[in-house]
């Protein structure tokens, strides 16, 4: 027998409006300065990355969503919005419609996150991916001086093994640096190589959170965003760029002390990322519960 269907809890107007306002305030800590810089024509070498590399706009990030298991008492601004359904008294996510459009994404994200979580964290890369992106290059990717100069930067890469497992970092390696990497990641091999000690894998939890939106509760999206901000700061402090004029003390990964500081940060972020990764997997599981399995590859459907 099928278990009886249960109705999702209904948030009264005052409660969901309060949660939406708290969400906007959390996002505005980062989004408001970004908007102000854009109006002034200024760029931030560290924090703008969260709004330029990642495709989620500040406006969409500010929009709170309740997630898949909650209904909102009306009036709610979600009436008539894509993937939402109303019965005249409440508004909730239409998981069937969402899966019809985004089911492949949900299954891919779940497969990637579960595979990543199953691996031990590797902490021996020392952030050399950023150094490999300017190795033996005639210019830098950012208009910021290199802390050790070009020759000094190249010497650090020459003196260390490069072991980057993350495709979206590896694809920016210079032609001279790419063959030095012990792995040759591809988009197709991403689920086989992603590991929880990788700073970029931790930052990308934010990407997977908004890719699953509006099924992801807004609080979880911002939790992932705030982790991405913290990781980005360490990523750039350990990079070859001299960011002291912007208020960032370097993590000198060419020294034993710098390596130790970087590894400590990796381990901390791996712990924080593990909890967020599981919460995202839970979102996927709730969406996929009761849904038909994807077509078998033998069926010829792609």
């Amino acid at each position: 027998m099928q278990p009886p269907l249960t109705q999702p809890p209904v948030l009264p107007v005052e409660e969901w409006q309060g949660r939406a306002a708290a969400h906007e305030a959390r996002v505005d800590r980062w989004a408001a300065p970004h908007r102000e810089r854009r109006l002034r024509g200024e760029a931030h070498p560290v924090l703008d990355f969260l709004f330029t590399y990642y495709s989620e706009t500040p406006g969409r990030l500010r929009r709170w969503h309740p997630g898949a298991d909650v209904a909102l008492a009306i009036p709610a601004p979600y009436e008539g919005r894509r993937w939402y359904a109303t019965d005249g008294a409440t508004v909730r996510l239409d998981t069937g419609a969402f899966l019809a459009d985004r089911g492949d994404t949900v299954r891919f994200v779940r497969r990637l996150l579960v595979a990543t979580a199953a691996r031990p964290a590797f902490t021996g890369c020392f952030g050399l991916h950023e150094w490999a992106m300017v190795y033996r290059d005639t210019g830098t990717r950012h208009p910021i001086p290199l802390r050790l100069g070009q020759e000094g930067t190249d010497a650090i890469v020459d003196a260390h093994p490069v072991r980057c497992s993350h495709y979206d970092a590896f694809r920016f390696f210079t032609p001279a640096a790419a063959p030095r990497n012990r792995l040759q990641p591809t988009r197709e091999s991403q689920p086989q190589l992603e590991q929880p000690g990788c700073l970029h894998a931790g930052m990308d939890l934010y990407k997977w959170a908004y890719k699953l939106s509006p099924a992801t509760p807004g609080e979880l999206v911002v939790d992932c965003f705030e982790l991405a901000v913290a990781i980005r700061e360490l990523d750039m402090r350990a990079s070859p760029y001299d960011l002291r004029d912007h208020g960032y003390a370097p993590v000198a990964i060419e020294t034993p002390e710098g390596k130790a500081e970087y590894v400590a940060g990796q381990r901390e972020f791996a712990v924080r990322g593990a909890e967020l990764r599981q919460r995202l997997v839970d979102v996927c599981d709730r969406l996929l519960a009761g849904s038909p399995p994807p077509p078998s590859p033998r069926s010829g459907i792609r």
Side-chain angles (χ1 to χ4, degrees):
M1 296 180 60
Q2 293 289 333
L5 295 176
T6 58
Q7 296 298 318
V10 178
L11 295 184
V13 173
E14 296 80 6
E15 184 173 346
W16 68 253
Q17 286 182 340
R19 288 176 61 177
H23 173 88
E24 291 175 2
R26 287 181 71 190
V27 172
D28 280 344
R29 177 185 174 189
W30 310 104
H34 174 73
R35 288 193 300 268
E36 292 166 3
R37 287 193 298 270
R38 290 188 64 182
L39 289 173
R40 296 193 300 266
E42 298 175 1
H44 194 289
V46 177
L47 298 178
D48 283 351
F49 178 85
L50 282 303
F51 297 103
T52 55
Y53 174 79
Y54 290 109
S55 62
E56 188 75 327
T57 66
R60 288 198 300 264
L61 180 60
R62 290 184 83 248
R63 187 177 301 139
W64 176 79
H65 292 283
D69 300 328
V70 178
L72 305 180
I74 61 173
Y78 306 90
E79 292 182 81
R81 199 177 290 278
R82 188 181 185 190
W83 297 318
Y84 278 95
T86 180
D87 60 9
T90 64
V91 179
R92 60 175 176 79
L93 183 73
D94 186 338
T95 56
F98 182 79
L99 277 177
D101 291 343
R102 305 287 291 163
D104 288 346
T105 296
V106 174
R107 284 182 279 268
F108 169 80
V109 171
R110 186 190 187 281
R111 180 167 66 97
L112 176 64
L113 297 180
V114 169
T116 303
R119 297 189 182 96
F122 175 70
T123 57
C125 64
F126 305 123
L128 284 164
H129 56 276
E130 288 287 345
W131 300 68
M133 293 178 193
V134 296
Y135 177 67
R136 296 188 182 177
D137 201 3
T138 56
T140 62
R141 300 181 66 241
H142 302 287
I144 307 167
L146 297 176
R147 182 167 55 84
L148 303 180
Q150 187 64 59
E151 290 187 7
T153 299
D154 294 346
I156 297 304
V157 178
D158 288 334
H160 291 78
V162 184
R163 293 174 287 194
C164 179
S165 58
H166 191 75
Y167 171 70
D168 282 315
F170 175 69
R171 67 191 177 98
F172 291 108
F173 281 24
T174 65
R180 298 181 59 87
N181 196 29
R182 290 190 176 183
L183 299 170
Q184 297 293 301
T186 64
R187 181 66 69 202
E188 292 70 26
S189 68
Q190 188 173 10
Q192 288 76 48
L193 294 179
E194 206 94 311
Q195 56 89 14
C198 171
L199 293 194
H200 279 261
M203 274 194 288
D204 278 356
L205 291 172
Y206 166 58
K207 175 170 67 175
W208 306 129
Y210 73 72
K211 290 286 187 184
L212 296 172
S213 187
T216 315
E219 291 83 357
L220 177 52
V221 175
V222 184
D223 287 346
C224 292
F225 178 83
E226 290 180 344
L227 175 62
V229 171
I231 292 175
R232 171 64 177 173
E233 290 178 348
L234 175 61
D235 193 40
M236 290 303 286
R237 288 177 60 214
S239 77
Y241 299 105
D242 190 344
L243 292 162
R244 284 171 288 194
D245 287 346
H246 297 272
Y248 295 94
V251 175
I253 57 93
E254 69 275 14
T255 69
E257 295 78 12
K259 286 181 172 67
E261 183 178 357
Y262 186 85
V263 169
Q266 280 184 296
R267 290 174 176 164
E268 176 193 346
F269 295 140
V271 171
R272 291 175 60 183
E275 187 261 339
L276 296 176
R277 190 173 289 110
Q278 183 57 55
R279 288 168 64 188
L280 290 172
V281 171
D282 291 344
V283 169
C284 296
D285 286 345
R286 289 195 294 271
L287 288 170
L288 295 170
S291 67
S296 167
R298 294 183 180 181
S299 69
I301 298 175
R302 297 291 185 268

